[in-house]
Amino acid sequence: MGAYWDSLDEIKNELKTASQSLFPVEKFKGVMFAPDKYMRTDGLPVDKTITDLEDVISKQTDPKEKKNLDALLQRIESVSDLTENLYARFNQNPNTFSNWFPQLAKAQKLAEQNGNTFFKIPETKCFTLPMELSQFMRIEYQDTNDVSRNAFNKILLKNLDLNKDKHYFLKTGEFSSKFEFKNCHLIPSEQGQIGEYFQVINNHAMFVGAGRNNDIVVREYIDDPENRPTIYDGMPLRTEFRCFIDCDTKDLIQTVPYWNPLVMKNVLQSQGLVDDRIYEWYQTYKKFEVVLNQDFNNNVGRINSNIQSIIDELSLKGRWSLDVMKSGNDFYLIDMAGMNSSALTELINPKKLEKLNIKVV
């Protein structure tokens, strides 16, 4: 569906009635954003839908059904046009980058001051978009026009002040799109299209239920000194560690391999049956599986002994996943998410969960 204008006053009224003036415009020729002006793609009462669903969730007593309803709520939020309420809600999302990254960066700096220099963090810039631009980035790329894309590109370039000679890694507040790696690796010659990169990444994020944020993130691109094979259109198969941590008790729950062999082979092999490109990735992963496993086993002890210095200084609350990427001899803290919304919890030793009195639904 195409996009159309919606004013701030109409958002406040939550689109209680459909207005003929809100019908999609076949081809809008001007810039699709302006102060207090928002291009929208539907006229749905999203605030009421969210409130009603939250009421249903609050009354649900079955844990699994409650989890399913929570997932439905996240999916609805991810694909909906913004309202003032939804915009504010996204800014409070614990998983969005601007909420957890400052705490992680502070913890890493304190750990260094205390003498532990094991972990690094890539140079990072995070920009929380105003509502006008965040809503524009939610519109499907093919439904936006060149004049709007060019304006968005220029605004981001001005605010992010990139080095014209450097490569960068792009992600939104919740999603990196590394499974389509060519979309998150920004090369110097394409910096002028940075807004379009973010549009494509965010469109993908919304599709998979990870569109609940207003952040854009530009990070130092870490070169691969080991020249490892690649999958996902250019992503080096670097060893990664997912640490499940409890910030309340200051416990490391367990560290598991991010590229878990059972998960990776199952997913790539099944998808490779209908996609030759994915089958090639499956073959690449299989050939490199032993190296990844050995690298994980050789270094997980070092990760576990050093990650405690980060956990001790983290001022976050609750349980989280904290991802570490190995690049040559360096170890980078790269990502976090609430444990209840993180993959790979099934790899945690059940006895460890029982000992810590943790229930994973």
Side-chain angles (χ1 to χ4, degrees):
M1 182 183 288
Y4 52 86
W5 281 113
D6 186 18
S7 74
L8 183 61
D9 289 337
E10 287 161 336
I11 290 177
K12 287 182 177 179
N13 290 330
E14 297 185 9
L15 298 173
K16 292 179 180 177
T17 58
S19 168
Q20 289 187 353
S21 66
L22 296 181
F23 286 160
V25 176
E26 184 174 340
K27 189 66 176 177
F28 189 85
K29 295 182 180 180
V31 177
M32 294 175 159
F33 50 84
D36 293 334
K37 292 275 189 177
Y38 313 94
M39 291 294 293
R40 298 178 62 81
T41 62
D42 62 48
L44 302 177
V46 59
D47 287 339
K48 183 178 185 306
T49 301
I50 291 172
T51 299
D52 290 347
L53 184 52
E54 284 188 320
D55 183 57
V56 173
I57 293 172
S58 69
K59 296 174 182 176
Q60 179 56 243
T61 57
D62 182 85
K64 289 187 177 180
E65 185 59 29
K66 192 180 184 95
K67 183 176 182 179
N68 290 336
L69 289 171
D70 280 331
L72 175 61
L73 175 60
Q74 291 182 22
R75 182 58 66 97
I76 290 172
E77 290 177 330
S78 283
V79 299
S80 294
D81 280 330
L82 291 181
T83 64
E84 285 187 298
N85 289 336
L86 193 57
Y87 176 80
R89 188 181 179 96
F90 286 174
N91 285 338
Q92 296 301 313
N93 176 8
N95 284 337
T96 198
F97 193 89
S98 57
N99 282 335
W100 58 261
F101 180 74
Q103 310 305 324
L104 179 62
K106 181 180 178 181
Q108 188 262 349
K109 185 175 181 179
L110 289 172
E112 280 193 344
Q113 291 173 357
N114 293 331
N116 190 318
T117 60
F118 184 79
F119 293 110
K120 297 182 177 183
I121 290 181
E123 292 181 13
T124 301
K125 294 181 180 182
C126 178
F127 180 30
T128 299
L129 296 173
M131 184 172 169
E132 297 92 332
L133 297 183
S134 188
Q135 171 58 24
F136 172 73
M137 195 170 69
R138 299 178 73 78
I139 301 171
E140 289 192 34
Y141 181 83
Q142 63 267 27
D143 289 335
T144 60
N145 57 31
D146 287 341
V147 65
S148 302
R149 294 172 194 158
N150 290 336
F152 190 42
N153 289 332
K154 290 178 181 178
I155 290 171
L156 296 192
L157 284 174
K158 180 180 178 181
N159 282 275
L160 291 168
D161 190 26
L162 305 181
N163 183 320
K164 294 180 180 180
D165 298 320
K166 286 190 174 182
H167 292 239
Y168 290 94
F169 181 83
L170 309 181
K171 70 188 297 292
T172 67
E174 265 197 317
F175 189 73
S176 68
S177 193
K178 62 179 161 186
F179 302 112
E180 294 180 343
F181 198 76
K182 62 183 179 183
N183 291 332
C184 57
H185 178 193
L186 182 67
I187 62 177
S189 63
E190 296 185 356
Q191 287 185 14
Q193 302 170 44
I194 188 170
E196 296 170 67
Y197 270 77
F198 276 117
Q199 277 187 276
V200 172
I201 293 171
N202 200 53
N203 285 172
H204 188 188
M206 293 168 64
F207 179 74
V208 298
R212 302 181 309 130
N213 74 97
N214 303 303
D215 294 342
I216 57 170
V217 181
V218 178
R219 314 197 78 175
E220 165 193 10
Y221 181 80
I222 308 299
D223 287 320
D224 174 23
E226 299 171 289
N227 195 30
R228 293 193 169 194
T230 64
I231 61 174
Y232 302 143
D233 289 327
M235 188 196 71
L237 270 172
R238 295 187 252 214
T239 309
E240 294 190 32
F241 309 77
R242 173 155 289 181
C243 305
F244 290 104
I245 64 175
D246 191 322
C247 291
D248 296 334
T249 64
K250 301 300 181 184
D251 286 322
L252 168 63
I253 299 169
Q254 188 170 328
T255 301
V256 302
Y258 187 88
W259 305 117
N260 176 262
L262 294 178
V263 175
M264 287 294 293
K265 287 190 289 189
N266 181 56
V267 171
L268 292 177
Q269 185 177 28
S270 60
Q271 294 181 358
L273 294 175
V274 293
D275 189 320
D276 290 341
R277 183 183 55 167
I278 296 178
Y279 187 75
E280 289 179 10
W281 298 341
Y282 167 66
Q283 294 294 337
T284 299
Y285 176 82
K286 273 207 321 179
K287 292 176 183 177
F288 205 63
E289 178 186 351
V290 173
V291 175
L292 286 170
N293 291 340
Q294 288 178 344
D295 208 18
F296 176 87
N297 292 330
N298 290 341
N299 288 283
V300 66
R302 300 171 68 198
I303 297 294
N304 290 344
S305 62
N306 285 280
I307 201 70
Q308 192 63 49
S309 68
I310 303 297
I311 300 172
D312 289 342
E313 301 296 346
L314 269 175
S315 58
L316 297 169
K317 300 295 183 182
R319 300 183 183 109
W320 293 76
S321 63
L322 171 53
D323 293 344
V324 178
M325 180 184 75
K326 178 179 178 290
S327 183
N329 295 319
D330 295 323
F331 294 84
Y332 290 88
L333 303 169
I334 58 171
D335 206 1
M336 291 191 74
M339 182 171 165
N340 62 347
S341 57
S342 298
L344 305 180
T345 54
E346 70 275 11
L347 301 181
I348 301 174
N349 188 329
K351 292 183 179 179
K352 187 68 178 267
L353 294 174
E354 183 178 355
K355 180 180 179 181
L356 296 174
N357 196 27
I358 299 174
K359 294 183 179 179
V360 178
V361 179

